[in-house]
C-alpha cells in the first residue's frame, strides 16, 4: 500500500518553491509518477507524485483560476505528457515546457477546447 | 523429393474433419454463467424502479403506473447490477446474447393484472370468516384482482395504508 | 545530410492495436525524431465519475480498457476501499490475484500475437491467440464475460469460484505450459524473428531511469521495478514472486521478460489455488467515501496509479488514472531516435501501447 505522504506547498512560495522541492527529490533519486489536477471551487488543485522504493511522496498546492505554474520538464522530461494533458483539458497555463515537448495545446485532439475547465455541475445521471 | 513432402498434409487435409468449431452451422456451446442478456419474470416485478436507478448505462425504464419494464438491449452492458439489486429477484441473466438488429429499440414487458381464481369460502354457522394475516405488498398491489369472497371481507381485513406499502 | 521527410504514422496502421499518431522526422531511412499526438479515443471517463454513484462506477472503470479491464476494476475498488478503510476478506484477495494473473497471461499472449503480426508472421500470431482462447474460456466460465469481467465490486468480488473448478483451472494451466513454451521458443530461436528483435529499440539503463518508464520496458533494461513486490492488496507476499529482469535493453529483452512473466504467472496461479482459504467473498459497504487516497497496481504493462477524492456524498469528486502507457510514451519517443524506419512498428509495439488506457 502506498504511503499517503502529502506535502502541501504554501501558496506564497510557488512556483520557485515547487522547482526547489522537485529538484531535491530528483537528487534524492525519486522517480516521477504523475501529476493530477482537480477542479475545486478555489481554482485548480495540483498534486505531483514521486516514488522511491515503492514509497510515494506527493506535493500539493492550489492555483487560482488563470494563474500559471512553471513546468518541471527541465528536471523530469517525461512530465510533458501529464503537463500537456492538464493544459489541454483544464486550461491551466504551464510555462516554460521544455523545447521539443511543448505541443501548444495540440497534444490532445479534442472537439471542444479545455472541456474540464469549469466547475462540475453536481447530480446523478 | 522436396516438393512432395507436403503432399501427405494436403491429402490429409482434404479428408480429415476440420479442427475449428463449426459455428454457426452448429450452435455455440455457451457456459451457463455467461452474462448474455437480462430477462425478467414480469409477473413478480413490483415496479420499485431500483434497477432503473442502479443501471450504469441507463438502459432500463420502469413505469410504475403502467406497470411496464423496458430495456434498451443496445445500451445494456451486461453487468448484472440490476439482477443483484432487484429486491424480489425477478431478473436473471441468460447465456444467450441479445439478437443483433438494424434499429435500436426498447424491449418492453407489461405486467398483466392476474385473474385470481375464485376461492370458495364456506360459512360455518356461527363463525364469521376471520382475516388471514395482513396481505404482503405484492398481494396488496394486486388487490384489484381480489377474489369475490375476499372482496366481501376486504374492508375489514385489509389494514389501511397496506396498499401503499411499497411506495 | 540526407533527404529530410516527415512521415505520419497512425492513427490507422496495421500494427497498431489502438490509434495513436506519430509524426516521424526522417533523414533518409533513419528516424531523427518522433512527435506523438493522442486524443483519438478520449471518452472523458474521469469526468463521468461525477455522474455515477461510486458503487456503480466500477463498471465504467473496468471499461477504460479491454485488455487491462480487470486491473482497472481492481485498482478502482482498491482505491475506494483504502479511502473508506474497508478490509476485504482473504478469499476475495486470492480470487482477485488469480484473476489478475490470468489477465496478465492473456494480455502477454495477446501482445506476443501482435508482435508476430507486426513482423508479418501471421501463423504465429494465430497460434498465440489460439492459446489465449483457453484463458478466455476460463474467464467466461468463472466470471461470465470473456473480456470485461465485472467481477470486482467495492468490498470484495461478486462471484465465487468453487474449489473443484479451481483445481480444473490449475490442470488447464499446467497443460498450457508446454504449449506456451513451444510457441514462445519460436520468437527466440527463429532467425528472422531474432534479427527483427535483437538490438532494435535500445533503451539504455540511464535512459530508462531518465524517462521514468515502467513495466517490462524498464525491466528489460536491468531495473527491477515491479509494484507487486510492495503490493499488499493482493497476496503476492504469500506467493513465490520475484521481478523478472534482463539487461539486453532491446526489443528481444522486452519480449523475453514478458514470456518469463507468463510462466511466472502460471506458477503463481497454481500456488494461489493450493493456498486459497475458504470464507466470504465480500463485506458490506456502508457510508460514503470522504477524503482522498492514492493506490497503485502492477498491470501487465507496468505500474498504474489511481487517485480518488470524495466529499461524503454518493458521488466521488475526482478519479484519476495514470496508466503505464502514459509513462512509457516518452520512453518510446526516446527509443525511436536513431532507429531505422522499418523498425518503427516493432518499437511502437514493444511498449505494449494501450492508448485507450492513456486517454480514458
Amino acid at each position: 500500500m502506498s504511503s499517503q505522504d502529502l506535502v502541501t506547498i504554501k501558496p506564497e512560495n510557488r512556483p520557485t518553491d515547487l522547482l526547489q522541492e522537485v529538484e531535491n527529490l530528483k537528487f534524492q533519486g525519486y522517480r516521477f509518477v504523475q501529476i493530477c489536477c482537480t477542479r475545486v471551487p478555489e481554482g485548480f488543485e495540483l498534486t505531483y507524485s514521486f516514488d522511491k522504493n515503492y514509497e510515494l511522496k506527493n506535493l500539493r498546492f492550489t492555483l487560482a483560476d488563470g494563474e500559471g505554474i512553471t513546468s518541471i520538464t527541465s528536471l523530469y522530461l517525461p512530465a510533458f505528457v501529464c503537463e500537456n494533458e492538464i493544459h489541454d483539458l483544464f486550461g491551466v497555463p504551464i510555462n516554460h515546457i521544455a523545447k521539443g515537448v511543448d505541443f501548444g495545446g495540440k497534444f490532445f485532439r479534442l472537439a471542444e477546447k479545455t472541456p474540464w475547465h469549469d466547475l462540475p455541475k453536481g447530480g446523478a445521471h | 523429393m522436396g516438393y512432395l513432402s507436403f503432399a501427405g498434409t494436403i491429402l490429409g487435409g482434404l479428408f480429415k474433419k476440420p479442427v475449428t468449431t463449426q459455428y454457426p452451422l452448429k450452435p455455440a456451446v455457451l457456459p451457463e454463467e455467461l452474462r448474455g442478456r437480462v430477462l425478467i419474470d414480469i409477473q413478480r416485478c413490483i415496479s420499485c424502479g431500483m434497477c432503473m436507478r442502479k443501471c450504469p448505462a441507463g438502459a432500463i425504464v420502469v413505469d410504475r403506473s403502467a406497470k411496464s419494464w423496458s430495456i434498451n438491449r443496445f445500451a445494456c452492458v451486461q453487468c448484472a447490477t440490476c439482477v443483484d439489486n432487484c429486491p424480489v429477484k425477478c431478473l436473471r441473466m441468460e447465456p444467450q446474447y441479445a439478437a443483433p438488429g438494424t434499429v435500436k429499440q426498447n424491449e418492453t414487458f407489461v405486467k398483466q393484472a392476474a385473474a385470481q381464481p375464485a376461492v370458495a369460502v364456506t360459512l360455518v354457522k356461527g363463525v364469521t370468516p376471520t382475516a388471514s394475516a395482513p396481505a404482503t405488498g405484492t398481494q396488496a398491489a394486486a388487490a384489484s384482482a381480489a377474489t369475490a369472497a375476499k372482496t366481501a371481507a376486504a374492508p375489514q381485513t385489509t389494514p389501511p395504508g397496506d396498499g401503499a406499502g411499497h411506495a | 545530410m540526407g533527404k529530410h521527410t516527415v512521415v505520419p504514422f497512425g492513427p490507422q496502421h496495421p500494427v497498431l492495436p489502438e490509434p495513436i499518431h506519430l509524426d516521424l522526422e526522417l533523414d533518409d531511412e533513419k528516424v531523427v525524431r518522433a512527435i506523438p499526438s493522442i486524443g483519438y479515443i478520449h471518452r472523458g471517463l474521469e469526468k463521468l465519475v461525477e455522474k455515477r454513484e461510486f458503487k456503480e462506477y466500477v463498471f465504467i472503470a473496468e471499461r477504460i480498457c479491454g485488455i487491462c479491464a480487470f486491473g482497472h476494476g481492481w485498482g478502482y475498488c482498491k482505491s475506494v476501499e483504502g479511502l473508506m478503510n474497508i478490509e476485504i476478506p482473504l478469499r476475495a484477495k486470492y480470487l482477485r490475484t488469480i484473476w489478475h494473473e490470468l489477465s496478465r497471461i492473456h494480455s502477454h499472449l495477446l501482445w506476443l500475437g501482435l508482435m508476430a503480426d507486426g513482423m508479418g508472421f501471421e501463423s504465429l500470431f494465430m497460434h498465440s491467440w489460439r492459446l489465449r482462447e483457453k484463458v478466455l474460456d476460463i474467464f467466461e466460465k468463472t466470471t461470465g464475460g470473456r473480456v470485461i469481467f465485472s467481477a470486482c465490486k467495492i468490498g470484495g468480488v461478486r462471484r465465487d469460484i468453487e474449489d473443484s473448478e479451481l483445481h480444473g483451472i490449475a490442470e488447464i494451466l499446467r497443460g498450457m505450459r508446454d504449449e506456451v513454451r513451444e510457441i514462445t521458443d519460436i520468437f527466440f530461436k527463429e532467425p528472422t524473428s531474432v534479427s527483427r528483435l535483437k538490438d532494435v529499440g535500445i533503451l539504455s539503463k540511464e535512459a530508462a531511469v531518465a524517462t521514468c518508464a515502467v513495466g517490462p520496458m524498464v525491466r528489460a533494461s536491468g531495473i527491477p521495478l515491479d509494484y507487486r513486490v510492495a503490493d499488499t492488496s493482493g497476496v503476492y507476499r504469500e506467493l513465490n514472486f520475484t521481478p523478472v529482469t534482463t539487461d539486453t535493453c532491446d526489443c528481444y529483452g522486452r519480449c523475453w521478460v514478458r514470456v518469463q512473466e507468463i510462466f511466472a504467472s502460471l506458477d503463481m496461479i497454481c500456488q494461489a489455488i493450493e493456498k486459497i482459504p475458504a470464507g466470504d467473498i465480500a463485506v458490506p459497504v456502508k457510508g460514503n467515501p470522504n477524503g482522498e487516497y492514492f493506490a497503485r497496481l502492477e498491470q501487465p504493462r507496468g505500474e498504474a496509479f489511481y487517485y480518488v477524492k470524495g466529499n461524503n456524498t454518493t458521488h466521488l469528486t475526482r478519479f484519476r488514472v495514470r496508466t503505464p502507457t502514459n509513462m512509457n510514451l516518452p520512453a518510446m519517443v526516446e527509443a525511436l531516435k536513431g532507429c531505422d524506419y522499418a523498425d518503427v512498428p516493432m518499437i511502437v509495439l514493444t511498449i505494449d501501447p494501450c492508448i485507450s488506457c492513456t486517454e480514458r
Side-chain angles (χ1 to χ4, degrees):
Chain A
M1 210 70 74
S2 56
S3 78
Q4 307 295 301
D5 193 5
L6 198 72
V7 174
T8 306
I9 300 189
K10 297 188 191 44
E12 56 270 15
N13 299 36
R14 329 160 247 98
T16 35
D17 211 40
L18 166 70
L19 281 181
Q20 188 75 52
E21 295 272 344
V22 173
E23 202 172 353
N24 289 341
L25 292 174
K26 178 159 178 155
F27 282 98
Q28 286 169 38
Y30 276 78
R31 171 177 66 94
F32 171 75
V33 174
Q34 63 98 36
I35 310 176
C36 172
C37 182
T38 312
R39 183 70 162 103
V40 289
E42 302 87 42
F44 296 96
E45 189 180 73
L46 283 171
T47 312
Y48 288 68
S49 302
F50 299 86
D51 167 77
K52 186 174 164 186
N53 293 330
Y54 310 113
E55 293 283 315
L56 267 186
K57 202 177 191 71
N58 305 296
L59 304 175
R60 153 82 54 82
F61 54 90
T62 312
L63 285 175
D65 194 358
E67 202 181 333
I69 187 68
T70 306
S71 157
I72 61 169
T73 45
S74 49
L75 293 162
Y76 285 103
L77 190 62
F80 80 85
V81 180
C82 292
E83 290 189 343
N84 276 294
E85 189 186 317
I86 289 174
H87 171 78
D88 290 347
L89 288 172
F90 287 92
V92 175
I94 304 197
N95 311 314
H96 311 304
I97 302 185
K99 188 168 173 302
V101 289
D102 185 357
F103 290 82
K106 299 213 173 52
F107 187 59
F108 234 97
R109 290 166 185 249
L110 298 164
E112 189 189 304
K113 287 234 168 292
T114 65
W116 295 359
H117 177 265
D118 297 326
L119 266 175
K121 301 170 195 57
H125 52 110
Chain B
M1 294 274 247
Y3 51 85
L4 280 185
S5 59
F6 205 63
T9 316
I10 297 176
L11 283 172
L14 283 172
F15 297 111
K16 276 193 236 168
K17 270 177 33 185
V19 294
T20 48
T21 45
Q22 298 297 288
Y23 177 81
L25 297 172
K26 294 206 180 107
V29 175
L30 300 169
E32 59 179 87
E33 296 87 359
L34 181 65
R35 282 175 281 115
R37 61 177 179 162
V38 181
L39 290 182
I40 183 170
D41 183 3
I42 190 69
Q43 293 302 114
R44 288 184 26 222
C45 173
I46 55 172
S47 302
C48 65
M50 193 67 148
C51 51
M52 178 169 67
R53 282 188 290 277
K54 291 283 178 186
C55 177
I60 298 180
V61 177
V62 174
D63 189 345
R64 190 173 304 143
S65 50
K67 288 203 184 358
S68 73
W69 182 92
S70 77
I71 183 169
N72 180 353
R73 294 214 183 275
F74 294 97
C76 169
V77 292
Q78 299 100 31
C79 64
T81 302
C82 51
V83 174
D84 287 344
N85 282 297
C86 178
V88 297
K89 301 278 174 259
C90 66
L91 289 164
R92 65 182 193 283
M93 290 300 289
E94 195 202 34
Q96 201 63 38
Y97 283 113
T102 49
V103 179
K104 287 189 187 177
Q105 58 196 358
N106 289 357
E107 198 174 322
T108 309
F109 299 84
V110 181
K111 181 170 176 174
Q112 308 298 323
Q116 301 248 350
V119 174
V121 175
T122 28
L123 290 169
V124 176
K125 191 168 169 195
V127 179
T128 34
T130 49
S132 48
T136 58
T138 39
Q139 285 174 307
S144 53
T147 62
K150 278 196 175 169
T151 43
Q156 303 155 290
T157 58
T158 317
D162 191 43
H166 278 273
Chain C
M1 273 302 284
K3 185 163 174 207
H4 197 84
T5 24
V6 177
V7 175
F9 180 88
Q12 305 297 338
H13 196 279
V15 300
L16 286 175
E18 276 144 12
I20 180 175
H21 182 76
L22 289 173
D23 278 312
L24 298 168
E25 288 183 13
L26 297 176
D27 203 16
D28 275 342
E29 286 273 322
K30 285 249 183 273
V31 174
V32 171
R33 214 159 67 109
I35 304 163
S37 168
I38 57 177
Y40 293 94
I41 206 156
H42 176 72
R43 292 154 287 162
L45 294 180
E46 289 185 357
K47 195 96 173 113
L48 201 54
V49 78
E50 295 155 11
K51 297 212 178 337
R52 296 282 184 274
E53 288 187 19
F54 72 97
K55 285 188 196 170
E56 289 168 25
Y57 189 80
V58 65
F59 301 112
I60 313 256
E62 64 183 1
R63 280 164 175 81
I64 289 176
C65 174
I67 314 174
C68 4
F70 189 77
H72 286 307
W74 185 6
Y76 173 75
C77 289
K78 187 173 148 159
S79 45
V80 176
E81 284 158 9
L83 179 62
M84 295 172 75
N85 263 327
I86 299 172
E87 184 66 34
I88 64 169
L90 192 58
R91 191 179 172 91
K93 284 191 185 182
Y94 268 89
L95 286 172
R96 281 182 179 179
T97 309
I98 290 173
W99 273 318
H100 192 62
E101 291 305 308
L102 280 170
S103 195
R104 190 180 310 270
I105 295 174
H106 116 79
S107 170
H108 284 331
L109 281 172
L110 185 149
W111 178 81
L112 281 171
L114 290 180
M115 203 67 178
D117 192 41
M119 285 195 266
F121 205 149
E122 295 263 347
S123 54
L124 187 57
F125 158 53
M126 291 187 195
H127 277 295
S128 303
W129 281 43
R130 176 183 57 85
L131 284 181
R132 181 176 162 252
E133 285 294 310
K134 293 198 179 165
V135 179
L136 293 183
D137 284 339
I138 296 176
F139 286 140
E140 202 177 30
K141 263 195 82 52
T142 52
T143 65
R146 277 164 55 99
V147 174
I148 304 285
F149 310 154
S150 298
C152 264
K153 71 172 183 184
I154 305 203
V157 294
R158 289 172 86 196
R159 283 200 204 212
D160 201 356
I161 314 181
E162 275 164 53
D163 288 332
S164 55
E165 212 174 326
L166 280 172
H167 291 302
I169 292 174
E171 278 307 309
I172 295 176
L173 294 177
R174 277 186 212 115
M176 261 180 78
R177 205 169 285 157
D178 288 330
E179 290 178 318
V180 173
R181 194 173 300 281
E182 205 183 314
I183 299 291
T184 53
D185 274 350
I186 300 178
F187 281 93
F188 303 129
K189 297 196 174 127
E190 163 71 44
T192 49
S193 162
V194 169
S195 66
R196 288 219 63 176
L197 292 175
K198 253 203 188 317
D199 296 328
V200 167
I202 305 271
L203 188 75
S204 65
K205 198 165 177 177
E206 296 74 31
V209 170
T211 53
C212 304
V214 292
M217 191 77 180
V218 77
R219 292 200 278 278
S221 298
I223 301 168
L225 183 72
D226 190 328
Y227 191 68
R228 284 178 283 173
V229 164
D231 196 354
T232 50
S233 67
V235 292
Y236 295 107
R237 297 275 170 88
E238 281 113 56
L239 306 173
N240 226 354
F241 169 70
T242 41
V244 179
T245 56
T246 181
D247 50 12
T248 52
C249 305
D250 57 6
C251 288
Y252 186 89
R254 287 167 216 137
C255 195
W256 191 87
V257 165
R258 289 191 174 100
V259 166
Q260 298 311 308
E261 285 188 359
I262 297 180
F263 291 117
S265 291
L266 286 168
D267 276 330
M268 277 201 280
I269 299 171
C270 294
Q271 278 179 50
I273 290 176
E274 306 278 313
K275 294 183 174 171
I276 189 169
D280 287 329
I281 54 169
V283 291
V285 174
K286 292 188 180 39
N288 288 332
N290 195 13
E292 54 188 1
Y293 197 78
F294 304 92
R296 286 186 283 173
L297 188 64
E298 182 73 19
Q299 288 212 358
R301 283 158 189 75
E303 174 202 68
F305 175 94
Y306 300 89
Y307 166 71
V308 286
K309 185 172 183 184
N311 62 354
N312 214 6
T313 57
T314 49
H315 296 258
L316 289 169
T317 49
R318 183 79 169 106
F319 171 59
R320 159 93 170 134
V321 185
R322 194 280 284 140
T323 52
T325 308
N326 212 319
M327 287 317 294
N328 284 338
L329 274 180
M332 175 183 86
V333 167
E334 180 64 33
L336 279 171
K337 286 187 187 153
C339 77
D340 275 331
Y341 181 45
D343 287 329
V344 168
M346 289 287 107
I347 299 174
V348 170
L349 276 177
T350 200
I351 65 163
D352 209 349
C354 190
I355 309 297
S356 54
C357 283
T358 311
E359 299 175 14
R360 293 150 275 120

